[in-house]
Amino acid sequence: GLLLLGALLAALLALVGALTQAGVAARARQTQFAILRTLGLGAGQLVAALTLEQAVSYLLGTLGGLGIGALLAYGGLPFLGFTTASYAPPVIGVPSGVLAVNVSASLLYLGGLLGVFALALGLAALVGRAAGLGRALRVGED
């Protein structure tokens, strides 16, 4: 139960972080979006470029996290002893521990993260599409 709570908390933090990062990054680049729109880039092209950029970032982050997590689990978990005794002498004939992965729950968790990323991509697309050209280009006139 505690591990499930930790996984859900990590997913919630990923949701908050992804939405915040997508919104802040898109708002910080509104002047660039306005200049690109002024130079002739269509709103759809701008949103497609922004979405592709964010999607590649999320994909590389997810793949990197999976790879590092797998390496750490494979390399570190065999050295962790799950026992109540402070010292358990080796017993002849007892097999070593086996690393087991719950594939269906892991895929469900990754699907939830992909949903979070899709929501963040939608937020960034809304910010990119709603950028006002006149307001964004009047930088020093506030």
Side-chain angles (χ1 to χ4, degrees):
L2 210 53
L3 288 175
L4 180 62
L5 180 66
L8 291 176
L9 185 61
L12 180 67
L13 289 174
L15 170 69
V16 170
L19 290 176
T20 303
Q21 187 272 338
V24 168
R27 287 194 193 280
R29 295 176 56 190
Q30 277 188 340
T31 304
Q32 294 173 1
F33 298 157
I35 291 171
L36 287 172
R37 292 284 310 276
T38 303
L39 291 174
L41 193 67
Q45 292 172 322
L46 180 67
V47 169
L50 179 66
T51 304
L52 180 65
E53 178 183 306
Q54 290 289 103
V56 167
S57 174
Y58 291 150
L59 177 69
L60 291 177
T62 302
L63 291 177
L66 284 173
I68 290 173
L71 284 174
L72 288 175
Y74 183 74
L77 285 178
F79 295 107
L80 297 175
F82 299 103
T83 181
T84 57
S86 61
Y87 174 71
V91 179
I92 297 176
V94 175
S96 61
V98 175
L99 184 63
V101 177
N102 187 349
V103 176
S104 62
S106 297
L107 290 176
L108 182 67
Y109 187 76
L110 282 175
L113 282 179
L114 289 177
V116 166
F117 294 155
L119 187 64
L121 287 174
L123 176 69
L126 281 175
V127 171
R129 194 176 286 280
L133 295 178
R135 186 173 19 109
L137 290 177
R138 282 185 257 129
V139 174
E141 298 179 15
D142 292 351

